[in-house]
Amino acid sequence: GTGLATIGLQPEHLVVTDLGPAMLARGLAKHDWPGVVCRAEVLPFADASFDTVFGAQMWHWVGKPAGPVEVRRVLRPGGELLVCWNETRSAGLDWFARQQDRLEAGNPDYQRGHREIDYNAQLGAWFSVAPPQEFTWERALSCELYARWLRSKSYVQRLPDVDGFVRDSLSDLRAVFGDGPVVEPFVTRLWRFTA
């Protein structure tokens, strides 16, 4: 991806990957990291060549069983697969519930619980599992930046009226936040799997 989740990792021991050349190029334009275009199901690395494989916001794209088998192949014995996912803590957020209602009504392929994946159940056949860790945080974006973020979502782009959806969402947000930033509470879940 763009490298946002990779910034805190040690760059001298890092190889970044993405299945899309354009997305990988965006991340590499900002950082001096080695990068490879590839899929998790077909990694161009030797057996047992990594201590850690880290997947941020992407594991839902990985095919099973090929992805877990391939990641297991490139991990050294005792190596770890780390998978993380950010989710809006939506309980009590009426504006978020209305946004989700509009998404489900306009895109039959979208379901608001699509990020609620039990990765332990999904990957336990290939790795030792542990309970996921959770970290809470908040994101503050201007309404204009929030609108750009909404438009970047593939499930928003598949709506019949993207402009109307964004307009209605911004109306809800301005009713809550006025001209101030949109403050959205998040939880990041981190799963650790040992080879």
Side-chain angles (χ1 to χ4, degrees), residues 43 50-55 59 71 74-75 79-83:
L43 296 170
F50 292 97
D51 293 318
T52 306
V53 172
F54 176 52
W59 196 261
V71 168
V74 301
L75 283 173
E80 290 186 313
L81 167 63
L82 305 177
V83 175

Side-chain angles (χ1 to χ4, degrees), residues 17 40-41 43 50-60 62-84 119-120 122-133 189-195:
T17 67
E41 299 88 341
L43 296 170
F50 292 97
D51 293 318
T52 306
V53 172
F54 176 52
Q57 302 283 110
M58 54 66 71
W59 196 261
H60 60 297
V62 176
K64 288 81 175 170
V69 168
E70 186 68 349
V71 168
R72 178 91 193 223
R73 180 188 67 78
V74 301
L75 283 173
R76 293 184 180 104
E80 290 186 313
L81 167 63
L82 305 177
V83 175
C84 76
Y119 286 114
N120 279 350
Q122 195 180 93
L123 296 168
W126 297 279
F127 299 94
S128 297
V129 302
Q133 295 175 280
R189 289 189 178 87
L190 175 68
W191 288 265
R192 298 178 74 126
F193 303 98
T194 306

Side-chain angles (χ1 to χ4, degrees), residues 22 45 48 61 92 106 115-116 124 136 143 145 158-160 168 180:
F45 307 113
W61 295 110
R115 291 184 173 162
E116 297 168 8
T136 57
C143 281
L145 190 54
R158 288 195 290 266
L159 294 171
D168 291 345

Side-chain angles (χ1 to χ4, degrees), residues 88-104:
T88 301
R89 289 184 299 150
S90 56
L93 299 179
D94 293 339
W95 62 267
F96 187 79
R98 286 191 296 278
Q99 183 185 95
Q100 297 300 295
D101 290 343
R102 287 192 291 271
L103 281 168
E104 287 180 335

